[in-house]
Amino acid sequence: MSLLSAFSNARASLSTVSSQTAIVSRNIANADNPYASRKYANLATGQLGGVRIVSIAQSGDAALFRSLLVSTSVLGAADAKATGLDRIRDVIGDVDAPTSPAARLAQLKAALSQYAVSPENGQTAEAAVAAARDMANGLNEASAAVQATRKDADDKLAQAATTMTALLAEFETVNGRVMAGSSTGADVTDFLDRRDQIIRELSQYVGLNVQSRNGNEIALYTDSGITLFDKTARAIEFSPQSAYDPTVVGGSFKIDGVVISGAGSPMPVKNGSLAGLLTLRDETAVSFQGQLDGIAYALIDGFAETNQSDPLDTARYAGLFTASGLTTVPASVGDARGLAGTIRIAASVDSTQPGGNPMLLRDGAISHPGDPAFNYNFNGSSGFTDRLNALIAQFSQPRDFDANVGAGDRATLSEYSAGSIGWLEGQRSTAIAEADYRSVLLSRTQETLSDRSGVNIDDEMTRMLDLERSYQASSKLLSTVGEMIDALLAIR
């Protein structure tokens, strides 16, 4: 090797080591960034032996990254559903909680039974009416909690639409820079990190199918095949409702003009918080509301009064339990939508209301105060218990419920109330178990991916020391070659 070749190789080595040192410094600076990958230089040896940097690359593991995206989206769906059901459970409690519909129903039955033991006692009458009031209030609170959960899910969907739109717009910019830089051989590793980060953030909202193409291009699709990004970002459309009650139907969530959930969706998404929130808002919460409405209907129907004098009057009039604008019992449980939110005890039997008389619970005529045609206690006996015993029997009388809401189609009122809470707890437990499992899996996948592609500060410091020695060696070689050239020039 000539002195000039040695001098040239030493200079190339110094330049290469300097660039590698800058890369290692970048890695160290990003050591605390969970989204940063380790950067490294690809080297090549020239014809004369000199070393140069061909390109800057990053560490990665495509299989682990795909697994990370799946775990993130599945966790997003389960967590969204579990959080919403927790909110409802906080209001009504579990089967054994004193605030649950099942527990309040048991308290009402016990109060009626006690009243039947001493039907002449005004205090036991008042206690029975108070238990009925608590029952109605409990259903009101549970219904309000369900609708508040639906509204909260709707608000989160609106936030998700805004965030996803912003992420896709940034993705379009970053993806363009990656492609442009790749075509010219520029260092695009920081843009690649940001692009991967955006993909991870999007996977929280919807399951993703990531397609890589030539030129470092990427296209994004939902797990059901709807296009999120292909050359350009696709539109995210959603309009939230201002308020929710049992009659309100939530708005459609659209990606690229395609509805992503519900029976009308040609390509329903499977995972991500969008799937969880839409399932919670439009299916789970609606089903539980239907169950509460079924309980409310059974109470109104079971405690209804009939005309005791006119056999031609076959109507069933709302008695102890009624609702706003309700005079007669709805024709079927299918007409009971929203009853849980409006059910209340009749003012005529409520001692907190003007003229309210709790003893009407024993005698009848709650629906028609003062009308003898609706009086069950014909003789005005203080020991009359037939009406009370008939009301108590309603708790164990099998009746039909809406089979479409998930808690069965035929049961006693007590059985259905307990089954409804059990259904809710089952939905919640399943979501929590899935969320816990996916959370652990996601954490382990993140750790493994970080080990494979992330920055290890100890390793980078070791590389920095190696590069420092290489720099010193190249400097020494350069100095030695310079001295030799100077010596040769001096001889001449």
Side-chain angles (χ1 to χ4, degrees):
M1 178 185 294
S2 67
L3 289 177
L4 290 178
S5 296
F7 186 79
S8 177
N9 289 344
R11 288 185 60 188
S13 177
L14 282 176
S15 176
T16 299
V17 169
S18 179
S19 297
Q20 287 180 295
T21 301
I23 295 172
V24 172
S25 297
R26 276 170 62 192
N27 287 338
I28 294 174
N30 289 324
D32 294 329
N33 183 355
Y35 298 104
S37 61
R38 188 181 74 84
K39 315 300 188 300
Y40 60 91
N42 289 318
L43 305 178
T45 303
Q47 293 182 348
L48 300 178
V51 178
R52 61 186 178 87
I53 295 177
V54 178
S55 63
I56 309 298
Q58 61 183 157
S59 299
D61 190 310
L64 276 175
F65 188 70
R66 286 194 298 271
S67 178
L68 180 73
L69 297 181
V70 171
S71 294
T72 300
S73 59
V74 175
L75 174 61
D79 189 60
K81 188 174 180 180
T83 300
L85 294 178
D86 272 341
R87 179 172 182 175
I88 297 174
R89 187 180 185 273
D90 288 343
V91 174
I92 65 174
D94 57 21
V95 176
D96 298 324
T99 55
S100 73
R104 292 186 188 274
L105 198 63
Q107 294 162 12
L108 174 59
K109 183 179 180 181
L112 286 170
S113 298
Q114 184 62 37
Y115 185 24
V117 172
S118 52
E120 76 288 346
N121 192 324
Q123 291 183 340
T124 55
E126 176 60 43
V129 171
R133 186 187 301 112
D134 290 343
M135 181 76 240
N137 290 340
L139 287 173
N140 295 161
E141 293 166 0
S143 179
V146 170
Q147 298 310 314
T149 298
R150 294 183 70 205
K151 181 63 171 70
D152 183 62
D154 206 56
D155 291 342
K156 289 180 178 178
L157 287 168
Q159 294 170 5
T162 300
T163 303
M164 289 179 68
T165 298
L167 287 172
L168 287 171
E170 184 182 0
F171 185 89
E172 183 172 351
T173 299
V174 173
N175 193 59
R177 291 183 178 180
V178 168
M179 294 171 60
S182 298
S183 65
T184 60
D187 178 10
V188 295
T189 52
D190 285 338
F191 290 122
L192 288 171
D193 281 348
R194 179 54 187 159
R195 188 171 70 175
D196 287 347
Q197 181 181 351
I198 294 173
I199 292 173
R200 290 173 64 173
E201 292 178 11
L202 285 170
S203 70
Q204 298 174 19
Y205 298 103
V206 65
L208 289 180
N209 180 7
V210 182
Q211 296 291 325
S212 299
R213 296 174 178 171
N214 293 334
N216 239 335
E217 182 184 4
I218 277 183
L220 300 177
Y221 303 89
T222 68
D223 53 16
S224 61
I226 303 172
T227 304
L228 271 169
F229 181 91
D230 190 350
K231 307 295 184 183
T232 60
R234 303 306 165 89
I236 308 294
E237 303 172 64
F238 180 73
S239 297
Q241 298 286 1
S242 59
Y244 267 87
D245 63 47
T247 65
V248 173
V249 177
S252 298
F253 197 106
K254 296 180 181 180
I255 297 177
D256 196 23
V258 180
V259 178
I260 69 169
S261 71
S265 172
M267 307 169 75
V269 297
K270 304 176 183 65
N271 294 309
S273 63
L274 294 183
L277 291 169
L278 288 165
T279 299
L280 175 67
R281 187 197 69 177
D282 299 336
E283 297 178 24
T284 310
V286 170
S287 292
F288 189 61
Q289 179 68 53
Q291 294 167 24
L292 294 174
D293 292 340
I295 295 171
Y297 174 82
L299 287 170
I300 293 173
D301 181 61
F303 285 77
E305 295 181 336
T306 57
N307 192 319
Q308 301 297 297
S309 300
D310 184 1
L312 297 179
D313 184 0
T314 59
R316 295 177 57 78
Y317 297 91
L320 174 62
F321 291 102
T322 185
S324 301
L326 189 67
T327 302
T328 58
V329 179
S332 69
V333 69
D335 301 320
R337 178 179 291 186
L339 273 183
T342 59
I343 189 172
R344 56 179 173 81
I345 61 172
S348 60
V349 78
D350 187 356
S351 62
T352 66
Q353 300 295 321
N357 181 10
M359 302 303 284
L360 294 181
L361 187 57
R362 177 196 66 186
D363 299 333
I366 297 174
S367 60
H368 295 74
D371 188 343
F374 290 86
N375 190 350
Y376 288 77
N377 186 6
F378 304 116
N379 300 322
S381 172
S382 62
F384 180 74
T385 60
D386 290 356
R387 176 60 176 164
L388 293 175
N389 290 331
L391 295 178
I392 294 170
Q394 291 297 319
F395 290 88
S396 54
Q397 179 68 37
R399 58 176 57 247
D400 293 329
F401 292 91
D402 188 350
N404 297 318
V405 296
D409 59 352
R410 187 166 179 80
T412 68
L413 181 54
S414 298
E415 290 170 346
Y416 190 80
S417 298
S420 174
I421 303 303
W423 177 89
L424 178 69
E425 191 63 25
Q427 293 284 319
R428 175 180 167 275
S429 297
T430 299
I432 289 176
E434 181 70 11
D436 289 344
Y437 169 71
R438 290 295 175 175
S439 180
V440 172
L441 183 60
L442 176 61
S443 178
R444 291 179 178 174
T445 304
Q446 286 175 327
E447 290 176 3
T448 305
L449 183 61
S450 178
D451 291 341
R452 297 277 184 87
S453 63
V455 176
N456 184 303
I457 193 69
D458 294 332
D459 292 343
E460 297 305 314
M461 293 304 296
T462 299
R463 291 188 184 92
M464 183 68 81
L465 291 174
D466 291 342
L467 290 170
E468 190 175 325
R469 296 189 187 98
S470 296
Y471 190 89
Q472 292 173 348
S474 297
S475 297
K476 182 64 176 175
L477 177 59
L478 193 61
S479 177
T480 301
V481 171
E483 291 175 358
M484 294 175 68
I485 292 175
D486 288 341
L488 289 173
L489 292 174
I491 292 173
R492 292 181 182 181

